[in-house]
Every structure is written in structure tokens, then in C-alpha cells.
Amino acid sequence: QALRIRLSLTKPNHSWRATAASTMDYGSLAIPQTGKGKPLLRFQRRRMNAAAIMLNLFMPWALFCITFAASALTVRYESPRTYAFVVGCTFVFALAPCAMAIRVRLNRHADLEYEPTWHIFLAFSMITAWFAGFLLGDITYTQYTRPYCDMMNLNTYVDVSPAGWRGQQVMDAGTIQFATGSRLDITKSMGFKNKEMYCVAPITIGNGSLPTYDFWVVGTDCCSGGQADFHCPSWNSRKALGGLRLLTDATRPFYRLAVQQAESAHGIKAAHPVFFTWVHDPMAMVEGWRQGAQQAFLFWMFVHLLTQIFLVVADFLVF
């Protein structure tokens, strides 16, 4: 009996090998076990913590706001160098997370348990925020800020009578409020065709002819050109007595040609023609441009914040 016990103790036990072999497939990679028996997976994505969430939320939004403000507001008109400096600095700042994401991505093999998704997300958000702020700011500047600043740099004239004033007297005019009784003389309107129809109509007062017609209301594609059928904006408004100066250099030569045609067709004279758009209250229009730029800034700032919140929440939940 003592011999049997000794033989049983010296007999190798292969049960552990069979058990281990049953848990592995031939040729497969063994998955390391944690202390609690759960597998430790490589390439785990580390979710963003609170600091990373705040960083991904507010840093792109702040970049968007600064770029938009520099591109859209009056600082661009008043100080082009400041505008270029701010936009350049924000662009470099937007590239910094991209460089960080690339560096971490290249060094990811140093830590197989970590894949820095939030670095990539931040880089994408920063570049997108910069381009969105720059493009939307440029649109706002062209549509609102630049016309407003141009008009504010010119003079305002009130109670101007087309019969007593001449064009050379108001060459620095941005807005004009004409005297009571001023109106458009549609019978002397004319159009010049160059892809678009450039339409003109003189401003007159009273029922008689004027020695010179120097004040002209203009518009595009609002007349036939061959007949006196001028119907540009506010042409038949009884309250309209204001003029906004035409500041577009590219279209001025075509309006000048239309005036020359009107001189020849109607036997009138235009010594120093000045071109306007016909409105009810020119100063209110100019102020509306300033308010439009501010409203656009607030609107897009709010839209970008909501968009960034949505993207951060989606990245946190999905990845």
C-alpha cells in the first residue's frame, strides 16, 4: 500500500494541460487574463473625461467666434493688418491639435491599450471651426459690414433739390434725402444692355424740365431698355425721397452709358451724373446693415455652439 501511494505521487498529472488546451484554439493568440478572470483587450478606446469634453466643446467654439468676429466686423475694415494678424494666429492655433493628433497617432504602438480618438476629434473640430468662421465671416462682411463702413465714411445731405443742386456738389455723398416733391421722371428713363440690363431714371422736381439732370436712380434688369418702363425697387413709392449712393465701380460705366443714351434719346443734359438706389429712409438702411452684421454674428455663434454640443455628445456615445 505504501508503494501504491508513492507511485501515485510520482505519476505526472496531465489534467491541467488538457484543461488549458481546451481553452485555446490551435494557432490562436492567447488573451491575457486579469486578476478577476476577465480578458484584457488590446486597443481599447479611452473615453473622454470631463476635461477632454470641455476642451472639445469650448475650444473650437471660441476659435470660431474669434475668427468670425475678425472676418466679419468693423475691425477688418478699420485695421486690415490687425485682421490679417488675428486670422493668421487663429489658423496656426487650429493646426496645433492636428500636429498633436498626428504625433500621438504615430506613437500609438508605444501603448497598445490606448487609441487617442479625442485628439483626432479635436483636430477635426478646430480645422472645421476655423474654415466655417472665416467663410461665414467673409460673407457677412461683404453683405453688411463693408457697405455700412463705406457709407459711414461719406457725407449725408438733406433737403437736396434736383433743380438747385449739381452733381459736383455732392461727389462725397453717401446718403441723400431729397427735397419734398422730388420724384422719378420715368418718361426719361433708359436702359443699356450688357448681359444684364442697366436701367436709369432721372430724379426731378416740379413739372418743368431741368437744365441738367445730375441725379439718377439705377437698377439692373428692371426695365426693357427700349421703352420708358423703369420699375426698379421703390420706383412708384410716394414715401421714397432718399438715395443710397452707388459704390460698385464695376457697374458704374454701364450706367454712364445708359445716361448717355437717355441724353441722346430725350434731348436732355447730364453734366455730372451721380447714381443712387431709390429708398424711403437711407439712414435706416445703413443702420440696418450694422444690425445685420451683429445679428449674423450672434446667430452663427449660437448655431456653431449647438452643432459642437451635438458632435461632442455623438463622439462620446458612439466611440
Side-chain angles (χ1 to χ4, degrees), residues 191-199 221 223-225 254 257-258 261:
F192 176 81
K193 180 72 173 181
N194 182 37
K195 296 182 179 179
E196 295 179 310
M197 183 66 72
Y198 295 88
C199 308
D221 295 329
C223 67
S224 62
F254 301 115
L257 291 173
Q261 288 186 176

Side-chain angles (χ1 to χ4, degrees), residues 23-46:
T23 60
M24 284 176 122
D25 293 333
Y26 179 75
S28 64
L29 179 65
I31 300 176
Q33 304 289 322
T34 61
K36 298 182 180 179
K38 296 181 180 180
L40 179 63
L41 297 178
R42 296 293 184 182
F43 301 104
Q44 282 186 325
R45 293 181 182 269
R46 186 176 298 173

Side-chain angles (χ1 to χ4, degrees), residues 99-301:
M100 181 185 301
I102 293 173
R103 180 179 61 84
V104 175
R105 185 74 176 176
L106 292 176
N107 296 333
R108 68 186 185 277
H109 298 292
D111 184 3
L112 297 179
E113 299 180 7
Y114 179 53
E115 188 172 348
T117 56
W118 76 267
H119 284 95
I120 300 174
F121 177 81
L122 180 60
F124 171 79
S125 297
M126 294 290 282
I127 289 295
T128 304
W130 188 89
F131 278 103
F134 179 78
L135 294 177
L136 293 173
D138 186 70
I139 293 173
T140 302
Y141 177 80
T142 303
Q143 187 174 359
Y144 297 112
T145 306
R146 185 169 62 190
Y148 169 77
C149 293
D150 286 340
M151 287 297 175
M152 294 304 295
N153 283 334
L154 298 173
N155 281 333
T156 298
Y157 293 88
V158 296
D159 199 26
V160 174
S161 173
W165 288 65
R166 298 293 180 262
Q168 63 267 34
Q169 295 177 268
V170 293
M171 296 304 293
D172 61 344
T175 60
I176 288 183
Q177 194 72 31
F178 290 95
T180 303
S182 301
R183 58 181 177 83
L184 301 184
D185 191 349
I186 305 299
T187 61
K188 296 180 176 62
S189 63
M190 185 57 65
F192 176 81
K193 180 72 173 181
N194 182 37
K195 296 182 179 179
E196 295 179 310
M197 183 66 72
Y198 295 88
C199 308
V200 296
I203 303 174
T204 187
I205 190 169
N207 297 323
S209 298
L210 302 182
T212 178
Y213 291 86
D214 285 353
F215 302 97
W216 294 78
V217 173
V218 299
T220 55
D221 295 329
C222 48
C223 67
S224 62
Q227 301 178 6
D229 57 353
F230 185 91
H231 54 274
C232 296
S234 302
W235 69 276
N236 60 347
S237 175
R238 296 182 178 180
K239 296 182 179 180
L241 285 175
L244 280 175
R245 181 75 172 271
L246 176 71
L247 298 176
T248 307
D249 294 333
T251 59
R252 189 176 293 110
F254 301 115
Y255 290 125
R256 186 69 182 89
L257 291 173
V259 171
Q260 291 176 1
Q261 288 186 176
E263 289 180 291
S264 176
H266 304 298
I268 58 177
K269 179 182 179 182
H272 298 278
V274 186
F275 303 117
F276 301 89
T277 54
W278 195 237
V279 296
H280 170 59
D281 189 346
M283 291 306 300
M285 290 284 294
V286 174
E287 180 63 21
W289 290 335
R290 184 186 68 84
Q291 295 178 359
Q294 294 178 347
Q295 292 172 1
F297 174 66
L298 295 176
F299 172 79
W300 288 115
M301 182 176 64

